[in-house]
Amino acid sequence: MKNRLILLLAVSAITAGSAQAQTTTTTSTHDANPGGIYIKGGYNLANISKYNDGSVDAAKGLSTFHAGGVVDIPIAPVLSLQPGLLLTGKGAKANYYVDPNNHSDNYVKSSFNPLYLELPVNLLLKFPIGNDARIFAGAGPYAAMGIGGKSKTEVSTGGVVTSTSHDIKFNNDNPLTPEEEGARYDRLKKFDFGINALAGVEFNRFLVGVNYGWGLEKINSTQTNNTQNGNNKYRTLSVSLGVRLN
């Protein structure tokens, strides 16, 4: 009986110690990389590549926005998979002045601001920097579907200003076929694909991040994509603020 009691106490102690170690490990992992659902939004500086090497004309950057959510799924204490769904603005602007020294009259200002539902899937490395704080960096692909937007033009001649605005239209492409169904010169491709690179800081329940979206698809529906020709593709720099819901 005494031996059985000793054995029972030993087993109980081992079980309790094992459970405590597991709890400690889980808590440590959670503290290092808690994961969760983030609501985020912020500023986009959108542009469209102008040159064959994929670079842009900085003067054509358009201010727009993004908003949505991401799900941070911890894979390891320093690694997360982060899919999301965002409403994001892309595009560019162009300004022409008859007199470069006079921006108040005799000009043409145009902006092109399509809106997309974007699905990014990024892989993030995270490094603790303090109590419930981490820096992160990562990359991954995105796919986006055009849903609307506006193109606007403002013309000033001799003090008379006229403005026009048009809805942006997309073709009715089926992404499962190689053709661009509904391609027209006044239509954009409905789907865009590209690569994200991002970095930032998480602290407590908040995040601050920077993302660069490098589009891989020419945007006009009548254009054949050419990986050796990098012009006419989206380039979007984003700055985000987010809060974790759980």
Side-chain angles (χ1 to χ4, degrees):
M1 178 66 70
K2 183 178 179 180
N3 290 338
R4 290 182 181 178
L5 180 59
I6 294 173
L7 179 60
L8 180 60
L9 291 174
V11 170
S12 298
I14 293 171
T15 303
S18 176
Q20 180 64 35
Q22 183 176 359
T23 301
T24 302
T25 301
T26 301
T27 302
S28 176
T29 300
H30 182 270
D31 290 343
N33 189 10
I37 299 173
Y38 286 87
I39 299 299
K40 61 184 287 187
Y43 172 77
N44 286 0
L45 180 62
N47 214 325
I48 297 172
S49 59
K50 182 178 179 180
Y51 306 102
N52 288 343
D53 63 359
S55 60
V56 300
D57 180 348
K60 294 187 176 182
L62 173 72
S63 294
T64 179
F65 74 97
H66 66 277
V70 297
V71 180
D72 190 279
I73 305 170
I75 300 174
V78 296
L79 190 65
S80 279
L81 182 67
Q82 197 175 85
L85 182 63
L86 303 171
L87 174 65
T88 187
K90 304 191 180 190
K93 69 179 182 182
N95 298 331
Y96 170 75
Y97 302 95
V98 174
D99 180 358
N101 297 316
N102 178 14
H103 290 187
S104 63
D105 195 15
N106 299 318
Y107 61 77
V108 178
K109 298 180 180 180
S110 61
S111 64
F112 169 71
N113 186 198
L115 295 175
Y116 287 79
L117 281 178
E118 183 169 298
L119 176 65
V121 181
N122 296 311
L123 191 64
L124 273 60
L125 284 171
K126 298 185 178 183
F127 304 96
I129 56 174
N131 185 26
D132 199 14
R134 296 155 293 280
I135 59 174
F136 64 84
Y142 75 80
M145 180 178 71
I147 61 170
K150 294 281 187 180
S151 62
K152 300 178 181 180
T153 302
E154 179 179 294
V155 180
S156 175
T157 306
V160 178
V161 178
T162 58
S163 299
T164 58
S165 177
H166 300 283
D167 292 334
I168 291 174
K169 297 179 180 180
F170 301 88
N171 67 359
N172 57 354
D173 181 39
N174 180 350
L176 301 179
T177 66
E179 294 81 15
E180 282 287 337
E181 290 88 354
R184 289 173 48 175
Y185 286 100
D186 61 345
R187 299 284 193 273
L188 298 182
K189 291 180 180 177
K190 192 174 188 65
F191 298 97
D192 179 45
F193 307 93
I195 298 172
N196 285 317
L198 64 160
V201 180
E202 296 176 357
F203 54 96
N204 297 324
R205 300 174 66 88
F206 303 96
L207 71 79
V208 179
V210 178
N211 184 94
Y212 191 78
W214 183 276
L216 300 176
E217 187 79 14
K218 287 184 179 292
I219 66 176
N220 293 111
S221 62
T222 55
Q223 290 181 309
T224 301
N225 204 42
N226 183 348
T227 57
Q228 296 180 348
N229 187 333
N231 64 5
N232 210 26
K233 300 178 181 180
Y234 290 124
R235 303 285 185 261
T236 310
L237 176 67
S238 304
V239 180
S240 300
L241 297 176
V243 58
R244 192 174 76 234
L245 298 182
N246 60 341

